[in-house]
Amino acid sequence: MSALKGKHIILGITGGIAAYKSAALLRLFVKAGAEVQVVITPNGKEFITPVTLSALSGKPVVSEFFSANTGEWHSHVDLGLWADAMVIAPATASSIGKMANGIADNMLITTYLSAKCPVFIAPAMDLDMMAHPSTQRNIELLRSYGNHIIEPAEGELASHLVGKGRMEEPENILAFIENFFSEEKPLEGLKALVTAGPTYERIDPVRFIGNFSTGKMGYAIAEALSRKGAEVVLVSGPTALPEPVGVRTIRVESACQMLDVSRKEFDSCDIAVWTAAVADYAPAHPCNSKIKRQKAAIESIELVMNPDIAATLGQVRSSTQTLVGFALETDHGPENATKKLRSKNLDIVVLNSLEDSGAGFGTDTNKITIFDRCGSSESFPLKSKAEVAEDIVDYIIKFRNSK
Ligand code: CTP
């Protein structure tokens, strides 16, 4: 049974091309057993008709402060109190700006300001509008009010440009909100930082030193932390994976960039999970232009040490933070893992051994043993990476509760 059964949902629709997807989202909410009241902005009606929406929701659509026919006043206050959730999808740059700054010039914004329930906002706009500092600042403001931002996906936009700004698919918005209502949230109010994927260290503009990490384990952990209520920042090296819904993802290329971004997020985080397969060395003298084929072999490429992100930030940690590292080992697994626990000042280390088939890079499964600084350890059987992520997050919660 869906966690949305019997829930009262306000579906706010603003004036963007993605409003056509709102009909599909509305249908999914209704199929999940929710009662839905659509509130649409005047511009929203240019993109999708209230007739379609009222037919799907079984209720008249609210748009103006007064009903044009009867003069009846639509109480945004009553609506705000009625709702268990308010979902604004699509949310245009303009409506996001108004919500962030309290510009209550239409029924949707007044309802938003009156709502006491959790609010979910699915932005949709062109990539340049999305990237503009003004939009980004407004989104951060909404986040600081406790609203949940359902990050837009990357892909082809209505303008035919390709980038970030496409409203998340209705199925994913539904899953995000169902997750919110179905799970216990032991990490509510906490912030988690996750590094993931490989790093690429440039040799020249077209070549790099990297590794086979796909980022799957780190992305699964970021999602699992978010499901348990944490606000999650994922700092990801180059991967082919889509950004997890509900997680703020920052993409980087090299180890130095990953350290810079992680350092900025680190102080404010309660939990950090270092899953990235950070390249330990980088070319000392990357070329700015492509190295041409030589007549003879290139004898060597000089490499310099990269920073150790886990160890560097482990030096400046506070005792209230919980730091989790990974150890990928080919031999002497437990000894090497516990050594890393101490040398990187971690609380928990997750060992995955390349000796185990089905564990490590590229696979959809993993087999882990967890060690913590109090001397406890636990081994788990081979499981999917999503299940392994749940086990790791449960261990983190247990560890924090035992302190
Ligand atoms: N790590 C890191 N920065 C690095 C290297 C590693 O943050 N430059 C983190 C990884 O994300 C992981 C842990 O440290 O959580 C251990 O990584 P691993 O590659 O197993 O260890 P190394 O310290 O590189 O040691 P070695 O390669 O010698 O086993």
Side-chain angles (χ1 to χ4, degrees):
M1 190 180 73
S2 168
L4 297 189
K5 189 166 172 50
K7 291 265 186 289
H8 294 167
I9 298 177
I10 297 173
L11 176 58
I13 301 176
T14 71
I17 305 280
Y20 77 90
K21 291 191 197 170
S22 307
L25 179 61
L26 168 54
R27 211 173 131 62
L28 290 174
F29 285 153
V30 171
K31 271 173 91 175
E35 202 179 315
V36 186
Q37 174 64 60
V38 174
V39 181
I40 191 166
T41 62
N43 279 340
K45 289 191 282 188
E46 304 287 332
F47 291 89
I48 183 161
T49 85
V51 178
T52 306
L53 300 165
S54 66
L56 290 174
S57 65
K59 284 177 188 293
V61 168
V62 172
S63 181
E64 316 295 337
F65 293 107
F66 295 94
S67 157
N69 302 331
T70 62
E72 180 199 357
W73 183 54
H74 294 139
S75 168
H76 52 89
V77 180
D78 288 351
L79 254 182
L81 292 175
W82 169 84
D84 297 305
M86 180 166 188
V87 184
I88 297 134
T92 57
S94 162
S95 288
I96 285 172
K98 289 182 190 177
M99 289 190 285
N101 296 288
I103 301 170
D105 67 349
N106 65 43
M107 184 66 190
L108 176 54
I109 310 294
T110 51
T111 307
Y112 164 75
L113 292 175
S114 308
K116 295 254 189 295
C117 56
V119 177
F120 302 87
I121 298 165
M125 64 197 77
D126 212 49
L127 75 165
D128 295 319
M129 293 175 78
M130 184 68 200
H132 195 279
S134 152
T135 311
Q136 289 300 315
R137 193 202 56 203
N138 286 330
I139 289 178
E140 281 318 306
L141 276 174
L142 294 175
R143 231 191 274 277
S144 73
Y145 306 155
N147 297 165
H148 303 272
I149 307 296
I150 304 178
E151 291 285 344
E154 299 233 0
E156 190 177 347
L157 304 163
S159 59
H160 300 302
L161 294 172
V162 176
K164 184 167 171 166
R166 200 166 74 170
M167 187 175 94
E168 189 50 275
E169 292 305 322
E171 292 75 17
N172 291 339
I173 297 178
L174 175 79
F176 186 101
I177 298 167
E178 277 186 328
N179 269 337
F180 178 88
F181 282 106
S182 62
E183 292 227 26
E184 276 187 68
K185 308 281 174 206
L187 299 179
E188 184 99 69
L190 299 182
K191 180 176 162 187
L193 167 65
V194 180
T195 63
T199 63
Y200 286 180
E201 312 300 331
R202 287 183 184 225
I203 298 170
D204 71 10
V206 294
R207 305 178 181 95
F208 59 85
I209 295 176
N211 58 64
F212 291 122
S213 166
T214 56
K216 283 180 185 166
M217 195 64 249
Y219 278 54
I221 289 177
E223 282 175 3
L225 286 163
S226 166
R227 273 198 299 276
K228 296 285 183 196
E231 175 200 339
V232 183
V233 184
L234 172 65
V235 184
S236 171
T239 71
L241 301 173
E243 294 178 6
V245 176
V247 167
R248 181 155 61 95
T249 305
I250 304 173
R251 292 198 185 257
V252 297
E253 183 180 286
S254 66
C256 288
Q257 291 168 357
M258 189 174 272
L259 175 61
D260 283 348
V261 174
S262 302
R263 204 197 289 277
K264 286 197 190 101
E265 303 288 340
F266 185 69
D267 278 352
S268 58
C269 80
D270 304 282
I271 296 166
V273 187
W274 315 119
T275 73
V278 184
D280 286 319
Y281 297 94
H285 308 291
C287 282
N288 289 329
S289 47
K290 186 180 165 200
I291 300 169
K292 302 302 277 182
R293 189 182 166 86
Q294 316 281 308
K295 294 251 160 9
I298 296 177
E299 294 293 339
S300 63
I301 298 175
E302 189 188 341
L303 300 176
V304 290
M305 288 285 290
N306 261 338
D308 184 325
I309 299 168
T312 306
L313 297 177
Q315 301 278 310
V316 294
R317 64 169 292 172
S318 84
S319 60
T320 56
Q321 289 176 311
T322 306
L323 307 189
V324 184
F326 270 69
L328 181 65
E329 305 295 340
T330 50
D331 39 28
H332 304 299
E335 294 84 344
N336 285 329
T338 45
K339 232 185 258 170
K340 282 177 188 165
L341 188 68
R342 284 189 295 277
S343 64
K344 300 187 192 231
N345 208 7
L346 304 169
D347 297 291
I348 294 171
V349 68
V350 180
L351 166 67
N352 44 81
S353 168
L354 284 184
E355 285 167 315
D356 291 319
S357 68
F361 288 161
T363 62
D364 285 323
T365 52
N366 207 354
K367 186 167 182 304
I368 59 161
T369 304
I370 301 181
F371 300 85
D372 69 35
R373 71 184 313 155
C374 305
S376 302
S377 69
E378 192 173 343
S379 292
F380 297 83
L382 189 72
K383 294 186 180 190
S384 74
K385 283 191 171 164
E387 289 170 311
V388 171
E390 297 286 340
D391 288 340
I392 293 169
V393 171
D394 286 345
Y395 199 98
I396 293 171
I397 294 166
K398 205 173 65 184
F399 180 84
R400 285 182 66 87
N401 289 343
S402 70
K403 283 214 293 185

